[in-house]
Amino acid sequence: MRAWAAVLALWPVVRVAAGRLPALPSITDKAFMEDCMRLHNDLRAAVQPAASNMRYVTSDAALARTARAWANKCIFEHNVYLSKKHQCHPNFTSIGENIWVGSPQAFCVADAIKSWYDEVRFCTFAVQNCSKVCGHYSQVVWHYSYKIGCAVTLCKEVAGIQNAANFICNYSPA
C-alpha cells in the first residue's frame, strides 16, 4: 500500500520527466489573472511620454472566457467575432486582442506581455507613426481600455509550432 502511495505522489514528476508538457494556468487561476493585470498596469504606468489619462485595468471574466474559447480553436488569427456587437461580451461592443504563441516550456506571462509592449521601439510619438508592427503595443497601453481577460491553452499545433501554448488577451474598450 505504501509503495502505491509513493508512486502516486511521484506521478507528476514522472510525467514531466517522461516528456509530458507543463500544466498551463486556467482562467480561474487567481494568481494568473492577477499577474496579467499587474503586468499590464506596470507597463501602462511606464509609457513615455507619460499618459495623463491612463486607466487602471482590471480583469473581466467574460473577456477571459472569450479569450479561452478563441485560444481553444488553435488558430493563429484574430477572433473574427470581436467586431460583432454582443457576440463576445454582454456589455462591451469594442474588444481588442493580442496573441502570443510559443512552446509551453517557454510560456511566461511576463515575457509574452512584454513582447507585445516591446513593439514600442517601432513607434515615433512625435509624428504619431509606426515603422513596423506596433498594434500589440498600442493595445497594451491604450489609455481608454480598462478591462482585460487573458487565457492560455495547449494546442497540438498552432502557427507551425507543435504542442504550442496559445496565449490571448482581450481588451475593452479596444
Side-chain angles (χ1 to χ4, degrees):
M1 192 63 153
R2 285 181 189 233
W4 278 109
V7 169
L8 290 175
L10 289 174
W11 183 245
V13 175
V14 171
R15 285 180 39 194
V16 170
R20 300 284 179 170
L21 299 171
L24 296 172
S26 76
I27 63 171
T28 58
D29 182 328
K30 192 171 184 175
F32 168 69
M33 294 309 293
E34 287 175 0
D35 281 348
C36 292
M37 284 186 304
R38 181 182 43 77
L39 290 159
H40 274 87
N41 283 314
D42 288 351
L43 293 169
R44 291 161 65 87
V47 296
Q48 290 297 321
S52 62
N53 55 353
M54 184 71 73
R55 294 169 118 177
Y56 186 82
V57 295
T58 58
S59 84
D60 183 271
L63 288 174
R65 285 190 300 273
T66 296
R68 179 184 61 194
W70 193 253
N72 282 335
K73 291 188 180 293
C74 297
I75 55 176
F76 191 59
E77 294 177 17
H78 287 286
N79 186 336
V80 297
Y81 302 104
L82 293 180
S83 62
K84 298 180 179 178
K85 287 187 175 186
H86 304 294
Q87 286 288 312
C88 296
H89 197 280
N91 301 321
F92 294 122
T93 57
S94 171
I95 300 172
E97 178 177 68
N98 280 340
I99 303 171
W100 178 96
V101 175
S103 75
Q105 296 86 347
F107 174 70
C108 169
V109 170
D111 291 345
I113 295 170
K114 184 83 167 69
S115 74
W116 299 328
Y117 182 86
D118 285 346
E119 290 178 0
V120 66
R121 68 185 180 269
F122 304 124
C123 295
T124 308
F125 295 101
V127 292
Q128 296 185 356
N129 185 38
C130 180
S131 63
K132 290 187 180 182
V133 175
C134 59
H136 305 102
Y137 163 75
S138 62
Q139 181 59 78
V140 169
V141 301
W142 183 244
H143 75 281
Y144 200 59
S145 297
Y146 66 96
K147 288 292 185 180
I148 61 169
C150 301
V152 61
T153 191
L154 182 64
C155 296
K156 286 185 181 184
E157 190 274 330
V158 64
I161 301 171
Q162 300 294 316
N163 298 316
N166 192 16
F167 178 58
I168 296 177
C169 287
N170 288 146
Y171 305 80
S172 198

